[in-house]
Amino acid sequence: MAGRVVAVTGAGSGIGRAVARAFAEQGDIVHASDVSSARLGETAAELEPLGTVRVHVVDVADFAAVEGFVGAADEDGDGLAVFVSCAGVFDGYAGIEETTTELWHRVLEVNLTGCFHGCKAASAVMVPRGRGRIISIGSVAGVHGAADGLSYAASKAGIEGMTRRLAIDLGRSGITANVVAPGVISTAIRANSAEILGDLVDVDRGVGTSSDKMDWLIPVGRPGRADEVAAAVVYLASDEAAYITGQVLRIDGGWDAT
């Protein structure tokens, strides 16, 4: 399986960087994108000693930019084999009264429309080849209304629904589509979201800021690590997962069981 071409959005930090690292460590050619050139520089410095890593500054809300990113990856090696959509922003647990139309549109255009852009562009190059893996990062918020804010929950639920339909559309073309849905993971999503959303919302709230809430909600009693999420992504991209499609794999320490 080593030597495939893998494209990852949101690879400037957190889960996205961990996913890029996991593929680089097994010898794949990794194309890593992020909206932040500074964070991408950190990713490149960390991962380039591991293998072939190419970085691209991309705003996933811009379809032309995503299409260009996918096209660049597809020109490498034997063409794009795996596409992982990790780019996302967090809405700070904002409910209906606090969610402005501006906040709603910004979160949805990054989290859901950005994911659609990646799926659309990646499937276009994978279908003629008759193979591929598309994996999107969802969240427990896709099924738990109290997990996060209104726009974030809607965006992650949308990813699950979109992926089920994507699996139907692409199954006969040898392409699988799945979601990995993390619970509380130790990342810098709040700081990164504050940078992107500015004064639209206070992002320093929610389950991940309270150890008491985590102790109550998460049976294993701790937040997860980004590499634990990345391991699930690598599995879904493997030959062993060829018969898995349209599914949601929850990496949440048991949260969904409570």
Side-chain angles (χ1 to χ4, degrees), residues 91-161:
D91 66 355
Y93 211 75
I96 187 65
E97 290 187 7
E98 191 180 356
T99 300
T100 61
T101 57
E102 292 84 359
L103 176 61
W104 172 270
H105 286 301
R106 185 57 177 145
V107 172
L108 268 290
E109 73 176 357
V110 174
N111 293 7
L112 182 55
T113 303
C115 183
F116 161 73
H117 287 164
C119 294
K120 177 76 171 174
S123 63
V125 301
M126 290 176 176
V127 167
R129 205 170 283 125
R131 61 172 172 80
R133 298 282 190 270
I134 296 175
I135 302 155
S136 301
I137 300 300
S139 169
V140 292
V143 291
H144 289 273
D148 289 294
L150 187 75
S151 55
Y152 188 86
S155 70
K156 296 302 185 177
I159 288 173
E160 293 192 14

Side-chain angles (χ1 to χ4, degrees), residues 8 15-16 18-19 22-23 82-88 111 115 119 133-143 152 155-164 166 176-185 224-238 241 244-253 256:
V8 185
I15 292 171
V19 168
F23 283 110
V82 181
F83 184 87
V84 188
S85 178
C86 297
N111 293 7
C115 183
C119 294
R133 298 282 190 270
I134 296 175
I135 302 155
S136 301
I137 300 300
S139 169
V140 292
V143 291
Y152 188 86
S155 70
K156 296 302 185 177
I159 288 173
E160 293 192 14
M162 179 174 65
T163 299
R164 284 188 283 270
L166 197 62
T176 65
N178 292 288
V179 175
V180 172
V184 176
I185 307 297
R225 302 189 313 271
D227 66 286
E228 292 173 314
V229 180
V233 173
V234 169
Y235 168 67
L236 289 173
S238 70
I244 301 172
T245 193
Q247 303 303 309
V248 180
L249 179 54
R250 308 197 189 284
I251 311 299
D252 62 4
D256 197 47

Side-chain angles (χ1 to χ4, degrees), residues 6 8 11-12 14-26 28 30-33 43 47 50 52-53 84 86 230:
V6 179
V8 185
I15 292 171
R17 185 184 293 176
V19 168
R21 166 181 275 276
F23 283 110
E25 286 178 335
Q26 65 177 24
D28 292 318
V30 177
H31 286 255
S33 77
T43 295
L47 302 190
L50 303 176
T52 304
V53 178
V84 188
C86 297

